[in-house]
């Protein structure tokens, strides 16, 4: 859609992937995107592939729909990272998860700010309304 918010967040996501790759290498963990890392929109996990396809379809309708899809992705990321932090006892991993969650919080805020410029808003699907309000008011 040509909005700066999409370019900026895309660059940020590259950095986030590097952070995760560092942990995978450090702890000799399997890289689930090995072999497809440079293929846009291709996933080994069928559920993620299906979700990706659905979200691309929804986000292709209009710029507002694309911004809502972006906010939805960050909403789910924040929930998943919060859950993962609670399950982990590894300080390195928790530190990366917290950094990723902070990034997702910033991304959600950016998407919501743009949505409001277009006269729309976002309703959280995964995080609480109080968490969303705290994020979107900054």
């Amino acid at each position: 859609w040509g909005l700066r918010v999409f370019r900026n967040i895309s660059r940020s996501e590259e950095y986030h992937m590097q952070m995760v790759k560092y942990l995978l290498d450090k702890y000799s963990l399997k890289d689930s995107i090995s072999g497809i890392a440079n293929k846009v929109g291709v996933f080994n996990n069928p559920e993620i592939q299906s979700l990706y396809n659905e979200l691309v379809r929804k986000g292709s309708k209009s710029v507002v729909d694309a911004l809502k899809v972006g906010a939805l992705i960050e909403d789910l990321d924040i929930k998943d990272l919060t859950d993962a932090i609670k399950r982990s006892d590894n300080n390195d991993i928790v530190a990366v998860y917290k950094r990723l969650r902070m990034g997702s919080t910033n991304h959600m805020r950016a998407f919501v700010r743009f949505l409001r410029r277009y006269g729309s808003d976002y309703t959280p699907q995964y995080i609480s309304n109080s968490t969303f309000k705290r994020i979107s008011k900054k």
Side-chain angles (χ1 to χ4, degrees), residues 71 78 104-116 120-124 127-138:
I78 293 165
S104 287
T105 298
N106 291 336
H107 298 169
M108 175 177 268
R109 187 175 303 113
F111 284 127
V112 169
R113 186 170 47 247
F114 271 84
L115 276 167
R116 290 175 179 164
S120 191
D121 210 337
Y122 177 75
T123 302
I127 61 174
S128 69
N129 283 324
S130 61
T131 298
F132 174 72
K133 285 179 184 177
R134 191 171 58 252
I135 291 169
S136 62
K137 285 189 178 189
K138 291 184 179 181

Side-chain angles (χ1 to χ4, degrees), residues 36-93:
I36 61 167
N38 294 323
K39 296 180 182 177
V40 175
V42 177
F43 300 92
N44 289 326
N45 181 314
E47 289 178 35
I48 293 175
Q49 185 67 61
S50 178
L51 179 61
Y52 173 84
N53 295 340
E54 177 187 346
L55 294 177
V56 167
R57 183 184 53 74
K58 285 182 179 180
S60 297
K61 294 178 183 176
S62 72
V63 68
V64 168
D65 288 317
L67 290 165
K68 286 183 178 184
V69 164
L72 176 73
I73 291 167
E74 302 305 342
D75 185 356
L76 181 56
D77 283 352
I78 293 165
K79 180 215 174 284
D80 287 346
L81 288 162
T82 299
D83 292 348
I85 289 166
K86 291 175 185 173
R87 290 190 311 266
S88 182
D89 61 359
N90 181 300
N91 291 334
D92 288 341
I93 293 172

Side-chain angles (χ1 to χ4, degrees), residues 8-64:
N8 291 348
I9 290 173
S10 178
R11 281 193 302 267
S12 178
E13 292 301 334
E14 286 294 323
Y15 175 69
H16 296 167
M17 289 181 66
Q18 291 172 9
M19 291 170 55
V20 171
K21 179 73 170 128
Y22 167 78
L23 290 175
L24 293 173
D25 292 344
K26 180 175 181 178
Y27 293 104
S28 300
L29 298 171
K30 183 180 180 226
D31 185 349
S32 66
I33 65 167
S34 179
I36 61 167
N38 294 323
K39 296 180 182 177
V40 175
V42 177
F43 300 92
N44 289 326
N45 181 314
E47 289 178 35
I48 293 175
Q49 185 67 61
S50 178
L51 179 61
Y52 173 84
N53 295 340
E54 177 187 346
L55 294 177
V56 167
R57 183 184 53 74
K58 285 182 179 180
S60 297
K61 294 178 183 176
S62 72
V63 68
V64 168

